[in-house]
Amino acid sequence: ELYCDFALWNVNDELIKKYYIYKKSVYDFEKNNTRSNFLLKTDYITSCKYDKSVFKETHIKLSDGIPKLRINIFGGVSAFLGNKEIIKTDFGRQNIKILCSILVIENGNEIGKLKLAQTIWPYNTEDSQRVNINSHWSVFRRLLSLEDGSCPYLIKNQNSYKLSAQYFESDLQDLEHICSELTLGPLDSQAWWETIEKNDRIFTGSLLPGENSNQYINRKRIEYRNKVV
């Protein structure tokens, strides 16, 4: 169960072990109603609790020094490299936002190049779709590039694209985790309210609220809204 909880967080085994010790101590305390089995919570273990905002701040950089890419797609698209927000004119282009959102929704899974182009430009010719996806991918890669020009966050294969699951996280991942908590439970009253509060912080608005013409985005917007409800 713990490995499922952390599957999208790229957490090492040692951190999972410490988190397990902490959770078991809480369980023992609640079960036996005594503090004799309750471990003192160190700052390190406390940071591993389900408050994703705290967890994110303690893992801004991965062990190889590459800053984590954080993408939020609810209430509008925003992206952060480490703790620095990406504020560039091209990132405000609508089709770049749609491209970004689709890749986040795919959650590190490959999506075919032609399928991606057809989803963003459904009424264009195939030649036009190929030109558009190539140019927009180049722009998106440039937006996410590090100072040395490298971009470890985007992976391009011969006929498919994807985000590198190793280097990115998103508010959609957080939302999926919260929905799993609420669905699978059981939660006591305190955990229930904490989970609802986390949901309010994460689900700050609909998926791409300014986009009304793309059928894929419109369908996903309804899907996530219903899921939260």
Side-chain angles (χ1 to χ4, degrees):
E1 179 183 355
L2 287 171
Y3 276 88
C4 292
D5 289 341
F6 285 101
L8 299 178
W9 292 7
N10 300 305
V11 181
N12 60 43
D13 289 348
E14 184 64 25
L15 187 55
I16 293 177
K17 185 188 299 182
K18 292 189 176 184
Y19 183 82
Y20 171 77
I21 293 173
Y22 165 71
K23 290 294 286 185
K24 187 172 188 309
S25 68
V26 174
Y27 171 79
D28 289 340
F29 171 67
E30 293 176 345
K31 180 179 178 181
N32 301 320
N33 195 26
T34 174
R35 291 189 177 275
S36 61
N37 294 323
F38 190 78
L39 291 174
L40 293 176
K41 293 181 289 186
T42 65
D43 290 339
Y44 188 66
I45 294 177
T46 301
S47 71
C48 304
K49 293 167 69 177
Y50 276 137
D51 188 342
K52 188 66 181 298
S53 61
V54 173
F55 188 92
K56 179 172 70 69
E57 290 301 323
T58 60
H59 292 78
I60 282 296
K61 282 194 175 182
L62 302 176
S63 58
D64 52 12
I66 296 175
K68 195 82 170 181
L69 170 64
R70 169 80 182 188
I71 301 178
N72 299 320
I73 59 176
F74 293 114
V77 175
S78 60
F80 299 81
L81 287 179
N83 56 7
K84 184 178 180 181
E85 184 173 8
I86 300 174
I87 304 177
K88 298 179 180 178
T89 303
D90 284 336
F91 204 76
R93 292 165 57 179
Q94 196 66 7
N95 285 332
I96 291 293
K97 291 181 180 179
I98 295 174
L99 170 61
C100 177
S101 298
I102 294 173
L103 292 172
V104 169
I105 290 169
E106 290 298 322
N107 196 31
N109 295 315
E110 289 187 2
I111 180 171
K113 179 179 179 180
L114 184 57
K115 179 182 177 182
L116 182 58
Q118 290 172 342
T119 302
I120 303 175
W121 300 278
Y123 305 113
N124 289 27
T125 65
E126 186 172 321
D127 287 342
S128 176
Q129 290 171 346
R130 292 184 186 279
V131 171
N132 285 340
I133 194 61
N134 287 334
S135 63
H136 280 71
W137 181 263
S138 297
V139 171
F140 192 44
R141 187 185 186 283
R142 187 170 64 250
L143 291 172
L144 301 184
S145 293
L146 302 175
E147 292 182 358
D148 62 2
S150 65
C151 183
Y153 311 105
L154 299 179
I155 298 177
K156 178 182 178 181
N157 297 317
Q158 184 175 358
N159 295 309
S160 64
Y161 296 134
K162 69 176 182 176
L163 280 166
S164 173
Q166 179 181 359
Y167 295 119
F168 96 97
E169 63 183 16
S170 69
D171 55 353
L172 177 56
Q173 293 174 350
D174 297 339
L175 183 66
E176 295 283 5
H177 179 75
I178 286 176
C179 288
S180 295
E181 281 190 295
L182 292 173
T183 302
L184 300 177
L187 300 175
D188 58 30
S189 58
Q190 180 179 353
W192 171 266
W193 286 111
E194 288 176 352
T195 303
I196 293 298
E197 288 173 356
K198 283 188 290 184
N199 177 77
D200 290 341
R201 291 198 301 270
I202 293 167
F203 194 73
T204 56
S206 298
L207 171 66
L208 277 184
E211 175 55 45
N212 297 312
S213 60
N214 188 278
Q215 295 182 4
Y216 175 87
I217 295 297
N218 290 339
R219 186 171 66 254
K220 287 294 182 179
R221 181 185 299 123
I222 295 172
E223 176 184 327
Y224 293 133
R225 186 185 299 133
N226 290 343
K227 196 166 190 175
V228 170
V229 172

